[in-house]
Amino acid sequence: MQQQSERHDDVKVPNIRRRPGRVSHEQWERYVECLFPKYSPVTHRLARIAPDSAFPQFDVIPVSTDGRDAPKRRVVIRGPQRGDNHCTCDAFQFGVYGTCPHVQFALAQLAETSNDLHGDPPERPYSEIFLRHGLKREIVFRPAVDVPRVVLKAARYCFDSNGLLAFDHFPYLKTLIERAADCRHELLIDGDVFGQIAFLSQQRERHRKIMTVFRRGVHSKAFDSLLTAPLAVYQREAAINAAVAGRFLLFDSPGLGRRRTALAAAEILIRTAHVRRVLVLTNTPTLHTWLAELQQSTPRKSQVVFGSPAKRSELYAAETQYTVARYDDLKDDLAAITGRMRPGLLILDETHTLKRHGPETARIVRRLESEYLFVLSGADPVRVPGPFVSFVDMLDRRRTGLLDDFLARHQQFDLRTNTVNYVDMGHVARTLPQHFRRFESAEYRRSLPALIEHDRFLPLTEPQATRHAGLQNRLFQLATPWRDAVAEYKKRALEKNAAVSTPEQPAKADDDSQNTPSPSQASPNVEKPAKPVSGVGDTTHEIRIPKPVVVPAGTLHEMQAIIAEMLNTANDLSLVDPACSSGCKIDTMFELLQEHLESPQVKAVVFAQDARLLHSAREKLANSPVSCGLIDRYTPPREQKDAAAKFLREPNCRVLFASDGIASRLVFRNVQLVIHLDFPWDADQIRQRHAQIEPHPTYRPCHAYLLISYGTVEHWLARLRGAHELFVGSDLREGQSVVLLDEPGRVKFFDHVLVMLEQVKEPPMVISGR
């Protein structure tokens, strides 16, 4: 990966355009010249490199007026034909026009001093092989006027009549070089030529190695040990294609497992192409979703990069195969990524949301250089044709003709009005058969469930994290002494059971004064000596059976209040900095709605327990052209029914906010998106909400997003979702007190608290205000 530094002299890379068929060459040349700024001798000067050499190299040096050292650009001038020259600036390296302002300035200066631009190509005393830049890079052989016939004959074996290299014949290039050396004929070869040949050769060799391992394709036994998670047939096929291509667009609808497919392709490259490090860039809500997928799918080391800049820099330097980072940190972490980490494979997830991170982040992402690249998205190319062009540009960084073919088939550019239209984007797979997949087969859609759940892990703001940390410490202080007492009770109970089950073995009496725990709040009672147990002979042994530890009702009530306040912290909007949207569930909800509502058929239902949270969420869409409805427990039954009917009947009413406690017989129809703002841990409540959803019969599946604050109490409870019946007999939502429980209920309540505390493994993600 090459480091991309901040350069105040670099010009903006022009948009990608292809010359329309009816536009003349002269008109197109004038248009391209207008894309770049005009340099003058007042702002720049031209310096010849090695004046005695025939090789035409120059430095374009900006004239600094503010005391800063402006970077110079090295240009190679071979002639007036666009694409033959070369420059080291970004506008030339990443552009598609084969020119830049530095090259144009050099040509203008040379035209003033020499009419033939430092010698017409036929007069040059040397032959040259160089890389012609443009939408398609071509290796060109330009012979000298007095080139030896033996050299010219050797060139005909690998170059066609137009002087272009036929890649299938590139092994003859070595013979051409040897013939030129034997004749002592000067043959200059551009260094980029060997890089282009190496890239194409590497593609063929990678394809050979992968097909050697996966001889039977999707039915190869190598897939059995590739991942620890199962792979569907279509995922195996896409993984092989992505690994063979090396640079791949994986566009799948949510729920079809594109992340696992990308991991399978990454594992193939790790095993066959010796990729050492993989960097995954994604959004904040899917940061730990990736970590969960990695831990489930592969035993290799994986990590999430989050925290202070110093901590993130240390994580990038760690010897870890998989690293997951955020787009939001990319600008600050670029030096650590390109310098200390240097990943061999770059995976870009949720790329259709890049515009939300700002133009600077999007520019850095598009300029990142990596040998292998996977671009993942859930968007349809029909909806995002503009960004899709930049993704194809990233794939075809070597300009092998992929981008040229795509623009020729799908881009319609009007030079007179300077407008661009994209056509036939629904058939992109035919244009990019080896580099693109968006799997929407009707057969596999029918095999999917009607509703698919997705977990989105969100950070906290600093005020939320501070309050949550204080409550967490208080909860641990209350639970720790009693947890020790419960552990000691269970240990002694096991010893008692072992002694009773083997009466022939003598057992020692317990020493209550030393072994009985004594928490500060209360001391568990111990019964008096129980029934004697007869051993061998006439010896009688006494065993003291401890009474079960019962936490005082007041302590349990305080724990219940603390847990309730901790759960409310993630939804407390008063603790959310307006300048920091990543810590607010409502802003994440808004981003999900923006993403899914781009399709006109999608309708969404947003659930929450607290009606105040729903009203705040509705205010977020106040300026949106989309109409919204709201139903809470205080809405009369008649109005609830009318709101549900309006949501079904009116096409513009596409979002409905609903609270718990509404009429259970009310059903929301034709829904493709469900968002749960709270209670992601309560499986029963989630099922009850989903029971009121009727997915669209045609547009399947329906996607349900659970918004979870990572590292908080709701995350701890979400880990136990469906595995334990939490807080039996105590409904925290309705405010029922644990004091009303009987003694066995209190014991079970405290056991569930201990189970919950065992899930505390990672601290919360914290987003600082910006």
Side-chain angles (χ1 to χ4, degrees), residues 181-395:
D182 294 340
C183 298
R184 295 185 179 181
H185 177 68
E186 188 176 7
L187 178 62
L188 301 180
I189 304 179
D190 187 5
D192 292 340
V193 170
F194 296 109
Q196 189 78 357
I197 293 176
F199 173 77
L200 298 174
S201 301
Q202 186 184 36
Q203 279 189 321
R204 292 191 175 185
E205 180 64 15
R206 183 172 61 250
H207 180 271
R208 185 192 66 80
K209 289 183 177 179
I210 292 175
M211 298 316 298
T212 300
V213 178
F214 298 88
R215 293 181 181 274
R216 299 184 58 197
V218 297
H219 303 292
S220 300
K221 292 185 178 180
F223 276 111
D224 297 339
S225 60
L226 189 66
L227 295 180
T228 56
L231 285 169
V233 174
Y234 67 90
Q235 290 177 308
R236 296 183 176 193
E237 180 182 2
I240 292 180
N241 293 338
V244 169
R247 304 176 75 84
F248 196 80
L249 298 176
L250 186 58
F251 277 47
D252 267 349
S253 295
L256 292 177
R258 64 178 180 271
R259 294 184 179 93
R260 185 170 298 178
T261 303
L263 289 182
E267 285 294 320
I268 295 176
L269 289 177
I270 290 174
R271 299 185 182 187
T272 59
H274 308 292
V275 173
R276 291 180 56 250
R277 294 185 178 182
V278 180
L279 174 62
V280 180
L281 292 176
T282 186
N283 294 329
T284 303
T286 55
L287 197 65
H288 284 82
T289 303
W290 265 99
L291 181 61
E293 183 65 46
L294 284 166
Q295 293 173 345
Q296 181 182 1
S297 301
T298 176
R300 300 184 189 273
K301 293 182 180 180
S302 57
Q303 64 178 355
V304 165
V305 176
F306 197 84
S308 64
K311 180 182 178 182
R312 298 200 304 267
S313 180
E314 293 178 359
L315 291 174
Y316 282 120
E319 289 293 335
T320 307
Q321 281 79 13
Y322 290 96
T323 300
V324 187
R326 305 188 312 150
Y327 288 122
D328 292 334
D329 298 328
L330 182 59
K331 185 177 180 181
D332 297 331
D333 297 348
L334 187 59
I337 293 173
T338 57
R340 306 186 69 178
M341 185 183 181
R342 302 184 64 85
L345 169 61
L346 179 64
I347 301 178
L348 303 178
D349 188 28
E350 301 289 336
T351 48
H352 56 280
T353 64
L354 271 176
K355 59 183 180 181
R356 303 176 190 170
H357 303 277
E360 182 66 14
T361 299
R363 184 191 71 85
I364 294 175
V365 168
R366 294 188 177 103
R367 304 289 172 81
L368 285 173
E369 287 288 343
S370 62
E371 187 173 359
Y372 303 105
L373 172 69
F374 296 155
V375 179
L376 280 60
S377 176
D380 192 334
V382 177
R383 303 204 317 257
V384 289
F388 192 83
V389 175
S390 64
F391 301 150
V392 180
D393 175 34
M394 294 171 66
L395 248 62

Side-chain angles (χ1 to χ4, degrees), residues 446-523:
R446 285 193 296 268
S447 65
L448 292 173
L451 187 140
I452 298 178
E453 291 187 2
H454 307 271
D455 291 341
R456 287 295 177 93
F457 297 102
L458 309 180
L460 297 178
T461 61
E462 288 183 340
Q464 287 176 324
T466 301
R467 174 180 291 184
H468 190 276
L471 294 171
Q472 177 179 328
N473 292 336
R474 178 58 182 158
L475 182 62
F476 270 90
Q477 290 175 2
L478 288 174
T480 298
W482 294 103
R483 177 167 57 183
D484 297 340
V486 170
E488 184 66 23
Y489 159 71
K490 292 180 178 179
K491 176 181 177 182
R492 298 176 64 193
L494 289 175
E495 293 176 353
K496 171 256 180 183
N497 293 334
V500 173
S501 61
T502 57
E504 67 278 1
Q505 299 294 333
K508 296 182 179 180
D510 295 323
D511 188 352
D512 298 329
S513 62
Q514 297 180 1
N515 295 331
T516 303
S518 301
S520 57
Q521 293 87 345
S523 299

Side-chain angles (χ1 to χ4, degrees), residues 390-409:
S390 64
F391 301 150
V392 180
D393 175 34
M394 294 171 66
L395 248 62
D396 195 26
R397 189 57 49 85
R398 289 282 182 175
R399 301 289 184 258
T400 59
L402 194 69
L403 179 62
D404 190 20
D405 292 341
F406 173 80
L407 296 178
R409 297 189 184 191

